[in-house]
Amino acid sequence: MNLEYWYLFPTAIGIATIAMASGVEGATFFTPLFLIALKLPPEVAIGIGLITEVFGFSSGLFAYIRKGLIDFKLGRMLLLVSIPMALVGTWFGNIIPADVLKGILAIGLFVIATSFLKSPDQHTLELLDEDIKTTQEEKEPQTCITDKNGKTYCYTIYNRIEGSLLASIGALFLGMVSTGLGQLNGFYLLQRCRVPSPVAIATSVFIVAITALIASIGHVIQFAQAGGEELQMVFNIVIFTAPGVLIGAQFGSIVATKLSQEKLERAMGILFIFVTLLIMGELVIS
């Protein structure tokens, strides 16, 4: 084991804390870090970012399973399209020229940044949840979920075809540039599918966690096939980032209750715009 990347352990704790508190996929932070700070090739940075994300999402996934908020039936429906598309994205990411892959990542980060800057505040979410509840009461609900606190959410899922299309696009980007699925799922499940926000968030985490796991396996296979120094470098990095995100994920749930979610999301939007400009600047200079 090489200790060259020891500093990624505390860095991973900090990033995972922020990612879990803001609800952002961990790879959205890690991939640009590996790309800009460590100067790794795009396909390597993306693969390691996705592998690292899996460890962080596993913690959040178990938390939502314990809360009983995941709609597994809806999750399975979307996984049927997200898993194969994520594998396709992984394959594309390995054959697309490095500069093109950087450009796609920059565009993806910019889209995520704008989504955070335009994200609804807590009051708007409450109004949306109330509107969903009123709409759902007009017909017999197809699904009812009761969480561990005894609260029941009953709803009917709308726009299934549109949701499957959005999930497939998000999964393609997840496999190709390690981010995108969580943001598309959150929008679809809440605003288009009319699923109550607690269930929408939990189900989105479930879909992203499983899809990211499968996509990361695809990247691991590619790293194993490359072998040699590349595989050793991946191991030397992940050995520090993996435990870091596991610890940071626990801190994130605490931080989320202390900070304003609206201000945190706005800060993330500004940060990702800055990172987008850095990546685009590198492309122009090179």
Side-chain angles (χ1 to χ4, degrees):
M1 183 178 72
N2 192 321
L3 299 179
E4 178 184 359
Y5 300 105
W6 66 268
Y7 57 88
L8 289 177
F9 175 66
T11 302
I13 293 176
I15 289 177
T17 300
I18 296 171
M20 188 61 68
S22 60
V24 184
E25 295 166 77
T28 308
F29 293 94
F30 283 108
T31 298
L33 172 69
F34 298 148
L35 190 65
I36 297 172
L38 271 63
K39 303 297 182 182
L40 299 182
E43 67 277 7
V44 176
I46 289 166
I48 301 176
L50 198 54
I51 293 169
T52 300
E53 176 183 302
V54 170
F55 289 92
F57 254 101
S58 63
S59 178
L61 176 60
F62 289 130
Y64 282 119
I65 290 175
R66 288 194 300 269
K67 291 179 180 178
L69 286 169
I70 299 175
D71 184 340
F72 288 102
K73 184 177 180 180
L74 174 60
R76 286 193 298 269
M77 181 191 82
L78 294 180
L79 284 173
L80 288 175
V81 295
S82 68
I83 288 176
M85 289 304 294
L87 291 174
V88 170
T90 301
W91 178 74
F92 271 132
N94 199 47
I95 64 173
I96 292 176
D99 286 348
V100 175
L101 202 57
K102 277 187 179 181
I104 294 173
L105 174 61
I107 293 171
L109 290 174
F110 180 76
V111 171
I112 291 171
T114 55
S115 72
F116 272 115
L117 293 174
K118 295 179 180 179
S119 62
D121 56 25
Q122 185 60 38
H123 178 63
T124 303
L125 282 176
E126 291 173 357
L127 292 176
L128 184 55
D129 269 334
E130 187 61 34
D131 180 57
I132 290 174
K133 183 178 179 181
T134 302
T135 303
Q136 302 287 11
E137 288 175 349
E138 297 175 358
K139 60 167 65 179
E140 187 71 23
Q142 296 176 347
T143 303
C144 284
I145 290 179
T146 302
D147 65 18
K148 74 168 188 175
N149 295 321
K151 186 172 183 178
T152 300
Y153 302 89
C154 292
Y155 50 93
T156 296
I157 300 170
Y158 291 78
N159 303 308
R160 292 172 180 265
I161 295 177
E162 179 184 344
S164 297
L165 178 61
L166 287 174
S168 64
I169 294 172
L172 180 68
F173 274 86
L174 179 73
M176 188 163 48
V177 294
S178 75
T179 188
L181 181 57
Q183 284 68 31
L184 280 178
N185 268 347
F187 168 80
Y188 158 65
L189 293 177
L190 182 61
Q191 295 184 309
R192 299 297 297 160
C193 214
R194 312 297 285 175
V195 175
S197 59
V199 178
I201 294 169
T203 305
S204 178
V205 169
F206 169 68
I207 296 166
V208 174
I210 301 301
T211 306
L213 173 62
I214 301 301
S216 67
I217 291 174
H219 283 287
V220 168
I221 292 172
Q222 291 178 351
F223 290 144
Q225 290 174 340
E229 294 183 2
E230 184 174 294
L231 181 61
Q232 185 62 46
M233 179 178 59
V234 171
F235 174 79
N236 289 337
I237 292 175
V238 173
I239 199 68
F240 292 109
T241 58
V245 296
L246 287 173
I247 296 172
Q250 303 305 312
F251 290 148
S253 59
I254 300 172
V255 172
T257 62
K258 305 294 183 182
L259 298 179
S260 166
Q261 191 67 21
E262 182 180 356
K263 291 181 180 178
L264 190 58
E265 289 181 352
R266 299 298 182 269
M268 293 302 98
I270 295 172
L271 173 64
F272 289 136
I273 287 177
F274 177 70
V275 173
T276 299
L277 292 176
L278 284 179
I279 295 176
M280 295 302 293
E282 281 194 354
L283 286 173
V284 172
I285 294 173
S286 61

